[in-house]
Amino acid sequence: MAWRSADAPATGWAVAAGGLITFSVTWGPMYLRVDQLGLLAELDTMKLQKDRNLGLVDAHVDASLPTGIALNIDAGAISGGGAIHHDPASGDYYGAVVLRIAKRVTLTCLGLVSTRDGQGNQLTSFILIGTVEHLGLTAGFITLDGLGVLYAADRTLDVPAVRAALPSGKLKYLLFPADPVKTLPEMVAGLRTFFPPKEGTHIYGLLVKLTFGNADHPLLRADLALMLERDGNTDTSRLLVLGRVSSVLPQEQAAVLTLNLDVVGEFDFDTGFAALDAVLYEVEAVQQFLPSPARRRSGGPAASASRLPSAGSTRGSPRRPASRWCRGSPWR
């Protein structure tokens, strides 16, 4: 709140009051929440009377866009919701929307729009990911459970950043995330880190979610993204791969062994360089001995092995550290 009065010989006063308001509304099957909607009211009697919009006083009411909007709908055949946020510090807009149709098929859309590049220069870039899950299309022991598309404008894939983050398992927030609205901050952090702005570069991707084994109790799950990156500045192209492979044996309800593997790969069409990184992380075993994963380089000689501790961990003990298969060399 601010107050100001005129100095003699002028007369009059002016007052302004503002604030940020957060509220929610429930209307039938719909729930709406608005975060930090800005409101400002001003009253001014220092202006000439002919310039006052209300005669005795000049009054104005202004509003600023909220930093976040969340919506949830439960209408029987269609349910779901989403959230959209704005980060004034970075100038980013991001959000996630999830819709469930007939309580079976799930449609998800994730997005990030930036108005500045990493140096703070004006540049509008964005990345969108759309998926459909719970398809249940089975052929033998393979089930196609999800499909998706990815498009990024004026953004690139930072392979070294992805490689460094593989042991943390952050790809689970980008490849068919379990609850994208709940994990929205982690998703945005991953998109900002892995897909930084780069003018003139575009990415086109296809996402696939597969399960192997019995459809009700699969032995293996694989979430994959195959992407083509085109750099218009240098007229070059790369084939990129992101992947998550997980297995819970013999089944989730009575797990004896849990394995998680994250993968990033690239192939440069112009230089012939090929690389593949795979990291085994969050390995849990119950009274089991874990094998030593081989550590290899695609296109090059085998590297020395990296061994996990020989004794298996019991439930409740710390999870296993990551073991890494390293990347390769030029391939022609």
Side-chain angles (χ1 to χ4, degrees):
M1 184 172 181
W3 166 275
R4 183 164 60 98
S5 60
D7 297 327
T11 60
W13 48 266
V15 62
L20 298 174
I21 300 176
T22 296
F23 65 92
S24 61
V25 176
T26 300
W27 184 22
M30 183 180 70
Y31 169 81
L32 174 67
R33 177 185 172 91
V34 178
D35 292 328
Q36 297 188 8
L37 172 66
L39 294 176
L40 175 65
E42 297 177 297
L43 297 176
D44 188 351
T45 63
M46 293 189 296
K47 288 185 177 181
L48 296 176
Q49 189 167 6
K50 63 182 183 66
D51 296 329
R52 301 173 188 173
N53 56 6
L54 297 181
L56 295 177
V57 66
D58 187 71
H60 292 280
V61 176
D62 292 316
S64 62
L65 293 176
T67 59
I69 298 176
L71 178 67
N72 189 74
I73 299 176
D74 188 358
I78 299 178
S79 63
I84 300 175
H85 294 274
H86 171 54
D87 185 351
S90 64
D92 289 350
Y93 298 84
Y94 55 91
V97 177
V98 179
L99 291 178
R100 297 174 184 85
I101 301 176
K103 296 184 179 180
R104 180 179 177 182
V105 176
T106 301
L107 303 176
T108 303
C109 183
L110 312 175
L112 170 65
V113 179
S114 299
T115 57
R116 296 192 290 267
D117 61 14
Q119 290 71 44
N121 302 316
Q122 292 294 322
L123 175 65
T124 299
S125 61
F126 66 87
I127 178 170
L128 296 174
I129 302 174
T131 62
V132 54
E133 297 181 67
H134 306 129
L135 297 176
L137 302 178
T138 301
F141 67 97
I142 301 177
T143 299
L144 175 63
D145 204 41
L147 281 173
V149 293
L150 179 151
Y151 175 65
D154 292 309
R155 287 183 177 267
T156 184
L157 179 66
D158 188 343
V159 174
V162 178
R163 187 181 303 130
L166 288 180
S168 66
K170 291 182 179 180
L171 290 182
K172 66 184 177 183
Y173 300 119
L174 305 182
L175 301 178
F176 299 98
D179 192 342
V181 176
K182 182 178 179 180
T183 59
L184 187 57
E186 291 83 357
M187 182 273 292
V188 174
L191 291 179
R192 285 172 172 166
T193 303
F194 302 152
F195 295 89
K198 184 180 179 183
E199 189 172 7
T201 301
H202 297 260
I203 300 177
Y204 312 87
L206 176 66
L207 284 68
V208 180
K209 182 177 185 178
L210 301 171
T211 61
F212 300 85
N214 186 284
D216 296 325
H217 303 288
L219 298 176
L220 193 71
R221 302 174 187 269
D223 302 334
L224 304 172
L226 184 64
M227 299 171 288
L228 175 66
E229 180 183 282
R230 181 66 180 168
D231 189 338
N233 299 316
T234 59
D235 198 26
T236 58
S237 300
R238 293 191 300 168
L239 182 65
L240 305 165
V241 177
L242 296 177
R244 295 186 64 246
V245 180
S246 61
S247 180
V248 180
L249 301 174
Q251 56 183 332
E252 293 184 1
Q253 290 77 6
V256 173
L257 180 64
T258 301
L259 300 173
N260 293 281
L261 183 77
D262 278 11
V263 178
V264 59
E266 63 175 321
F267 174 69
D268 193 308
F269 290 101
D270 299 282
T271 65
F273 178 82
L276 180 67
D277 280 76
V279 170
L280 188 66
Y281 68 98
E282 292 185 358
V283 178
E284 293 182 341
V286 180
Q287 302 301 330
Q288 297 290 326
F289 289 89
L290 300 178
S292 303
R295 181 174 182 172
R296 297 187 178 278
R297 289 178 176 272
S298 59
S304 60
S306 173
R307 182 180 297 272
L308 291 172
S310 58
S313 64
T314 59
R315 284 196 181 99
S317 60
R319 291 183 173 179
R320 295 295 185 185
S323 294
R324 181 186 298 269
W325 286 265
C326 285
R327 57 197 180 89
S329 54
W331 177 27
R332 293 188 180 279

